[in-house]
Amino acid sequence: MAEEPLPGSPRAERPSSLEKTGERLRDRVEHARPLGAAHDDPRKQGHQGHGAHHAHGGHKGHEGHDKHAGHSAHMFRNRFWLSLALTLPILYFDMHFQEWFGYTAVQFPGVGWVQPVLSVILYFYGGWPFLEGALRELRARQPGMMTLIALAISVAFFYSLVVTFGVIEGMPLYWELATLILIMVLGHWIEMASVEGASRALEHLASLVPVSAHKLVGNRTEEVSVDALRAGDRILIRPGEQVPADGVVMDGASSVNEAFLTGESRPVPKEQGAEVVAGAVNGEGALTVEVKRTGDQTTLSQIQRLVAEAQASRSRFQNLADRAAGWLTYIAVGAGTLTFLAWLLLGFDLNFAITRTVTVLVMACPHALGLAIPLVIVNATAMSAKNGILVRNREAFERARDLKIVAFDKTGTLTEGKFGVRSVYTGGVAEEEALTLAAALEGRSEHPLGKAIVEEADARTLGVPDVRDFEVVAGKGVAGTVDGTRYRIGRPEWVNEGGLSLPPELQRGLDEAEGRGESVIAMMDEGRVLALFALADKVRGSAKEAVKRLKEAGVQPVMITGDAEAVAKTVAQELGIARYHARVLPENKARIVRELKQGGPTAFVGDGINDAPALLEADLGVAIGAGTNVAIESADLVLIEDDPLDVVRALRLSKATYSKMIQNLFWATGYNAVALPLAAGVAYAWGILLSPAVGAVFMSASTVIVAVNAVLLRRTRLA
């Protein structure tokens, strides 16, 4: 069964809206910069933390440089295990470890070279990602975690080699070099493994277009590659098939599912002259379409372009660990330089000054700093999963803590994306009898509106009679014979086309239903209209409670939908949402989110492909788990249970997580307030001088505190 809006009804402008969508998308792309342009000018790059979309070369940590270009969780995993294999013998042969644990290492000729040789391999293999990252940060003039790590391991490495070759006296720091590299590689492995895969959004978009099409050549069809289609070609789209290219219907009538583009769950009627877009799914009738746009010119490709642009240009928070590391880098270099000059000016020898400086520089990069954030993220992610929330971007916890606005897509998010019977208007028959007849006719239909009627009859446990001579009338509805009487059920326009008219009571019902933006189906026999069924998308059971709790938390709920004003107003009033935007075209959702962000940090919750740019534009993107893969891959958080209340739980968890991040960074770096001055020798006059070994105890204690504090996050109650 197919359905079309009545002239002048809230849905009557649907085809022109689609054409307008395609035109605006194409116009935007024609005037947009190339996909790579976002990377060309460092001044235009926003901050991006570890949750970056790796489809664009990795991870934008700062303006103008790509912090994790070419990096992956798999790479860090491999480097961790080999680094561990190199670290164990370095620790085994270290004099400090032998002294602390009371053992004597195996002795053999050349044993003294085991640590230096393994350290050289470890420095260049395990430490290479940090050395590369430091160069990028320094070129961008924004030192962060990579610079601090590279500084610490380089100082420890070269100092140890100089001592080993007897250039200066001292104790080599091979064990500190090894453990520092090992823990930092582990931290980055944990971190990247928790967020990798966000680049799949574009892959899912590409998968929507079929690989072949049925091209009409004369009186026959020929299966050709979609890439071979050209403007002007005519193609046949059979029932159930996806549209391979944008075009105009030349022959046939059907209903087409365009939810991927519009977000609206109702199929859109198509007949001669109507536009169809690539990726849409054809319904019950065959369509002959003349191709108008192919390849990069299709509307779907424009959405791909919008998603790619949003991924490339989306502003990012510079993550907390990087900010702390940046400051520690400046402090370490400044303190190290001051230490070196001070001891020389005080008349101490060069060896003493160098030793003090090296100790300061190495102590400035605590092992705990590399694990402070990843350990919290791992625990937060585990908690999220138990509560039906999948974390795709670790920055979500930093960005969600102070949200002021949460914008919801309507269809599939606040509503279920499936129709339900809201009202039944009858003329001359009982309501249950009308439902019984309608369910009998729609029982063999695949149309979602028809299914809603069948489900309503099932819910009322009504007995449904058999239907004979069932017939699908493309573009109109279905017909069949029940108990010897011929009935038709379909779009209201079919009433006039059949020479019938609506009685006054049904006309009032039609006006009332359309005033609420509901879809209407008419049922009639050969001589009169028997009933009208008003159907609407079902509001999710928990949506109203979620809106209420957001308001209580001081967060403003906003609804954004491509549906008509009447539909949007009805749903907004039912949920208690004061601010809403109706008739929003796909490419304008991101623009509205951008405008909302001027009022404070904004989250967007959606489920459709058309929501992907808005999910990326928002400070926090939340996807409904039952939505499209593209929406899920573009989001920071995914609500597995499709429950809007999980948005509230996610906000609570984000606040608790951010608090733990701050606490861990304090413990991971706070000891420097004591350790660095002692390492520099400020208490030397009182016989207190912090050696690297004692500094290691401080670092170990800091690491333990950070780990325990991260585990305590699990005590947070989200319900």
Side-chain angles (χ1 to χ4, degrees), residues 395-565:
E395 279 187 345
F397 294 116
E398 298 177 35
R399 289 187 267 112
R401 73 188 191 280
D402 54 359
L403 288 173
K404 300 299 181 186
I405 299 171
V406 174
F408 292 91
D409 173 57
K410 181 186 75 68
T411 306
T413 304
L414 293 173
T415 64
E416 295 181 3
K418 57 184 293 188
F419 285 91
V421 177
R422 295 289 294 268
S423 305
V424 180
Y425 304 95
T426 61
V429 295
E431 181 175 315
E432 289 195 351
E433 181 184 353
L435 262 175
T436 299
L437 291 171
L441 292 168
E442 297 287 11
R444 295 168 63 178
S445 169
E446 294 299 319
H447 198 284
L449 299 183
K451 289 182 178 179
I453 290 178
V454 174
E455 289 174 1
E456 180 68 18
D458 289 343
R460 300 192 190 191
T461 64
L462 300 177
V464 178
D466 293 330
V467 177
R468 294 184 297 104
D469 303 324
F470 178 79
E471 178 187 6
V472 175
V473 183
K476 299 183 185 298
V478 298
T481 301
V482 178
D483 294 332
T485 303
R486 188 71 174 171
Y487 296 96
R488 294 179 294 157
I489 184 169
R491 58 189 184 123
E493 291 90 336
W494 207 4
V495 172
N496 295 329
E497 292 171 9
L500 304 178
S501 60
L502 288 173
E505 64 272 21
L506 292 186
Q507 184 62 54
R508 285 194 296 271
L510 177 63
D511 296 339
E512 180 182 307
E514 290 190 334
R516 294 193 299 264
E518 296 171 349
S519 298
V520 179
I521 297 176
M523 185 179 70
M524 63 210 89
D525 59 17
E526 297 294 344
R528 59 177 178 152
V529 182
L530 301 175
L532 297 178
F533 302 90
L535 301 98
D537 199 355
K538 294 181 180 179
V539 173
R540 290 189 185 276
S542 60
K544 190 171 184 178
E545 182 67 19
V547 168
K548 177 185 174 184
R549 293 192 187 182
L550 286 174
K551 289 180 177 179
E552 291 173 350
V555 178
Q556 180 187 15
V558 177
M559 187 176 74
I560 301 175
T561 178
D563 264 337
E565 172 72 22

Side-chain angles (χ1 to χ4, degrees), residues 8 25 58 138 140 160 182 208 210 249 309 390 414 460 482 531 672 674:
L25 282 168
L138 292 175
S160 299
L182 185 68
L208 289 173
V249 177
E309 285 180 359
L390 173 64
L414 293 173
R460 300 192 190 191
V482 178
N672 282 285
V674 175

Side-chain angles (χ1 to χ4, degrees), residues 87-95 97-98 103-106 115:
T87 297
L88 291 177
I90 292 175
L91 299 183
Y92 173 74
F93 287 105
D94 189 84
M95 296 301 297
F97 275 72
Q98 293 183 52
Y103 69 91
T104 301
V106 175
Q115 284 186 301

